[in-house]
Amino acid sequence: MIFKIFTVFVIICSSVFIYSTHSRPVIKVKLQNLHQNAKITDFSMIKEILEEKYVIKITNKDDYDLIINSVFGNDPINNNNAIKIFFIGEAYPAKLENYDLSIGFAPIDEEWSNYIRIPLYYFYNNINKNLEPSFKRGKCKNDHPHFACFLVGNGSKERYYDGVSARDRLFHRLSLYKPVVSGGGHLNNIGKTVSSEDTLEFLSKCKFVIAYENQTYPGYTTEKVFNAYFSGSVPIYYADIKAQEDINKKAIISAQDFETEEDLVNYIIEVDKNDKKYCEIWEQIIITDHKMDYENMKNKLRQKLAPILKRKIDEKF
């Protein structure tokens, strides 16, 4: 009897799934000139919005209905009838001309109807669902195995950017006080390189995380400060001042708040020695503006995409 009930349940569920997928039209999506091994899941917010109405099929041919394009390659867009989305999360200017929609980090929303500012961290699955003002980390955790760490792949000798040089200097300065653990390819001192899958676990073992952006660029911010925060550490952050407006400054230690690097180092040491002061920072919420939470930002993107999809896709079906 139980087996029969289970069988009926499976059949019903399968029928509902088949109906729900087949009742939605297929939208062919091409990913082009993006970072290496890019997948549609790397664009979670776009994927979720499309799947509300369509079944996504990834294609490498030129029969696509929608293309997500960037600057990490030179392949041309050959299907001008498709929806063209430009996406940039790194420190490059957004391309606006000849695109139906451009997504970037620069604060220029109101100037262009086909542009929306959504920083890179909204597309990280380990971060985005926690981006809401009600998120709390619980009781302060200040018994980490390591004092501080950073996880980077390049240094100032490989390429000169202000953030790269500044974080190298902070690494060496703090190391004079206590060991700073490096798990990336640069200045590695743990004997192995931490994988992307193990990033949060590695950072969670550190009381402080040096979470510097590679460079200061208008509006430029990535996942670094949020990875540090959501791992359970206090981020030491360096980024464009405009970019930091999205973040509750009380939840981080902002390098640019100090006149000199020596002042910054002395403050970090002071916080390290004072559990109360450390916990005052640790217990802060990193996003306080309800307009910046994940669902609100997704709705903002949905409103931009809806008329484009209606004009270029829906009329085909």
Side-chain angles (χ1 to χ4, degrees):
M1 181 66 180
I2 294 175
F3 177 76
K4 288 183 178 179
I5 294 173
F6 177 76
T7 303
V8 171
F9 175 76
V10 170
I11 292 172
I12 292 172
C13 289
S14 299
S15 300
V16 170
F17 175 76
I18 292 170
Y19 175 77
S20 64
T21 55
H22 281 266
S23 63
R24 290 178 288 154
V26 172
I27 183 170
K28 294 181 180 179
V29 177
K30 185 173 185 179
L31 308 176
Q32 182 172 278
N33 298 323
L34 298 163
H35 57 276
Q36 190 174 13
N37 301 319
K39 305 179 292 294
I40 189 62
T41 50
D42 297 331
F43 306 93
S44 55
M45 192 179 283
I46 299 173
K47 178 177 179 288
E48 290 167 16
I49 292 172
L50 292 178
E51 287 180 335
E52 292 170 358
K53 293 185 64 177
Y54 311 98
V55 175
I56 297 174
K57 180 180 178 181
I58 302 299
T59 180
N60 290 319
K61 300 178 180 179
D62 288 336
D63 61 345
Y64 50 85
D65 302 301
L66 182 151
I67 186 169
I68 303 175
N69 194 50
S70 193
V71 299
F72 304 106
N74 299 306
D75 294 337
I77 295 178
N78 293 323
N79 184 352
N80 289 322
N81 295 321
I83 294 174
K84 296 176 283 295
I85 296 178
F86 179 81
F87 180 92
I88 192 66
E90 297 300 333
Y92 295 87
K95 292 184 179 181
L96 301 167
E97 294 183 3
N98 302 319
Y99 283 93
D100 296 285
L101 183 63
S102 185
I103 302 172
F105 53 82
I108 56 175
D109 278 17
E110 297 178 2
E111 298 178 27
W112 297 85
S113 60
N114 67 330
Y115 178 79
I116 183 169
R117 181 179 188 265
I118 305 180
L120 183 63
Y121 52 83
Y122 282 97
F123 295 90
Y124 276 71
N125 287 317
N126 61 310
I127 294 174
N128 55 29
K129 295 302 187 294
N130 293 326
L131 291 174
E132 53 183 47
S134 61
F135 179 85
K136 292 185 178 180
R137 296 199 284 186
K139 189 177 180 180
C140 178
K141 176 187 175 185
N142 59 358
D143 57 347
H144 303 72
H146 303 297
F147 157 62
C149 65
F150 81 164
L151 189 59
V152 298
N154 54 58
S156 53
K157 290 183 179 179
E158 288 83 6
R159 59 174 69 177
Y160 181 80
Y161 290 130
D162 58 327
V164 172
S165 299
R167 72 188 177 206
D168 276 9
R169 292 194 300 271
L170 184 62
F171 172 87
H172 292 298
R173 281 174 173 267
L174 285 179
S175 296
L176 297 175
Y177 166 65
K178 283 183 179 180
V180 177
V181 179
S182 173
H186 178 58
L187 295 175
N188 188 286
N189 56 16
I190 64 171
K192 63 177 183 179
T193 302
V194 176
S195 66
S196 57
E197 293 79 12
D198 296 330
T199 292
L200 290 187
E201 182 183 356
F202 172 74
L203 298 180
S204 71
K205 297 176 182 178
C206 308
K207 189 173 182 179
F208 300 93
V209 173
I210 301 173
Y212 281 33
E213 301 295 355
N214 288 345
Q215 58 181 302
T216 51
Y217 192 97
Y220 177 56
T221 179
T222 67
E223 80 289 353
K224 293 180 177 65
V225 65
F226 292 94
N227 272 341
Y229 177 86
F230 288 118
S231 73
S233 304
V234 165
I236 307 168
Y237 195 45
Y238 179 101
D240 173 62
I241 297 300
K242 186 70 176 178
Q244 295 189 42
E245 290 179 2
D246 298 342
I247 301 166
N248 177 15
K249 295 285 287 293
K250 294 179 181 179
I252 66 173
I253 296 175
S254 175
Q256 282 100 327
D257 285 349
F258 299 86
E259 289 189 9
T260 68
E261 290 180 343
E262 184 177 0
D263 290 340
L264 170 62
V265 171
N266 288 337
Y267 180 74
I268 295 168
I269 294 172
E270 178 185 342
V271 173
D272 180 51
K273 292 179 177 179
N274 188 323
D275 288 347
K276 182 180 178 181
K277 183 168 288 191
Y278 179 83
C279 287
E280 285 175 354
I281 301 172
W282 195 95
E283 290 171 355
Q284 291 287 327
I285 300 167
I286 195 163
I287 291 288
T288 58
D289 185 352
H290 185 62
K291 292 183 293 185
M292 297 299 297
D293 70 25
Y294 180 76
E295 289 301 326
N296 279 337
M297 292 296 287
K298 185 166 79 170
N299 188 52
K300 189 177 176 182
L301 176 60
R302 186 186 290 112
Q303 291 173 355
K304 287 274 190 178
L305 266 177
I308 302 170
L309 291 166
K310 184 177 181 180
R311 185 175 71 251
K312 287 203 168 186
I313 302 296
D314 293 351
E315 61 185 26
K316 292 172 56 178
F317 302 106

